[in-house]
Amino acid sequence: EAGVAQSPRYKIIEKRQSVAFWCNPISGHATLYWYQQILGQGPKLLIQFQNNGVVDDSQLPKDRFSAERLKGVDSTLKIQPAKLEDSAVYLCASSFSQGENGYTFGSGTRLTVV
Amino acid sequence: QKEVEQDPGPLSVPEGAIVSLNCTYSNSAFQYFMWYRQYSRKGPELLMYTYSSGNKEDGRFTAQVDKSSKYISLFIRDSQPSDSATYLCATGGGSARQLTFGSGTQLTVLP
């Protein structure tokens, strides 16, 4: 079974620039999550999709962050404009149902904003 | 108060030691409990999960949940240098639609 694919692995941008991350979940997994992990902290949920609908985006900073999951498969997370405090690892995860058996995470995209 | 609190570490032990990692949670409605292991520059990987109070064993790893005190533990027996990683507890269920993670404990097992 192929894992959760994320790209790019690393990205360095200047503040106020925009950036996009891509995620391809495990085939058949209906639920997709984007988490932000700041160095030394646990993952924090940004947004959760069920198929192509948003289940929870209450912690997504909507003035600068956006995400979509067209056709209920791949997903893109965008930041525009980026701030220094957005420097973090952005993790994508997927699960078969509501995640009661756990999530499968990708390797993440490490973003550095300078 | 954070929903999930985890001993921050870092924790350094000699090879062969028994390691105890702990978390507490605040929401009594949480129903499932997990431990993830995260190697440097990798995503978290699921190590163990359980749905109820009690112990669950898998090889050298034992997960323990005490729902009455809202306490989660992970024990590692005969620790190995390859166990060196950050360990994240996570919990969810009830009205929560996703997992909430602790802040992680960084473990180093010295050869």
Side-chain angles (χ1 to χ4, degrees):
Chain A
E1 178 183 73
V4 176
Q6 288 190 249
S7 66
R9 286 299 311 276
Y10 306 93
K11 192 74 176 178
I12 300 175
I13 63 172
E14 294 182 351
K15 60 184 179 183
R16 292 187 290 272
Q17 286 188 323
S18 63
V19 64
F21 314 125
W22 173 82
C23 173
N24 183 235
I26 290 176
S27 178
H29 278 193
T31 310
L32 184 147
Y33 315 81
W34 283 101
Y35 278 83
Q36 180 193 57
Q37 187 175 25
I38 293 172
L39 186 64
Q41 298 182 21
K44 185 187 86 170
L45 181 76
L46 292 174
I47 189 167
Q48 176 183 353
F49 292 95
Q50 179 86 11
N51 297 309
N52 61 350
V54 175
V55 173
D56 187 348
D57 63 357
S58 59
Q59 298 185 76
L60 187 74
K62 297 180 186 63
D63 58 332
R64 298 184 300 106
F65 286 66
S66 64
E68 60 183 11
R69 190 184 184 196
L70 300 176
K71 301 180 182 179
V73 182
D74 293 9
S75 178
T76 302
L77 177 69
K78 296 180 181 177
I79 308 175
Q80 181 179 13
K83 293 185 175 181
L84 296 177
E85 58 261 36
D86 297 333
S87 295
V89 175
Y90 290 85
L91 293 163
C92 179
S94 69
S95 66
F96 182 69
S97 57
Q98 291 299 314
E100 60 271 18
N101 293 324
Y103 305 164
T104 302
F105 281 88
S107 292
T109 295
R110 183 175 298 271
L111 174 68
T112 302
V113 182
V114 299
Chain B
Q1 182 191 13
K2 291 183 179 178
E3 284 196 295
V4 181
E5 300 268 9
Q6 185 170 1
D7 292 345
L11 187 60
S12 184
V13 301
E15 183 174 355
I18 296 174
V19 176
S20 173
L21 304 169
N22 306 294
C23 290
T24 58
Y25 63 96
S26 58
N27 189 338
S28 59
F30 285 155
Q31 299 169 319
Y32 40 89
F33 309 91
M34 302 181 192
W35 284 95
Y36 282 80
R37 178 174 61 195
Q38 186 173 25
Y39 290 114
S40 180
R41 300 187 180 276
K42 297 287 188 181
E45 59 175 329
L46 183 63
L47 199 56
M48 297 189 72
Y49 70 90
T50 182
Y51 298 119
S52 60
S53 284
N55 294 352
K56 182 175 182 179
E57 190 173 317
D58 184 1
R60 298 183 293 111
F61 298 88
T62 300
Q64 189 173 82
V65 176
D66 182 346
K67 294 179 78 174
S68 63
S69 58
K70 301 190 189 69
Y71 200 79
I72 313 166
S73 298
L74 178 71
F75 298 96
I76 307 174
R77 292 183 300 280
D78 187 26
S79 56
Q80 302 295 308
S82 58
D83 295 329
S84 297
T86 296
Y87 290 80
L88 297 156
C89 61
T91 182
S95 60
R97 290 170 290 190
Q98 64 275 143
L99 293 175
T100 299
F101 286 82
S103 57
T105 301
Q106 185 177 348
L107 171 68
T108 301
V109 181
L110 302 170

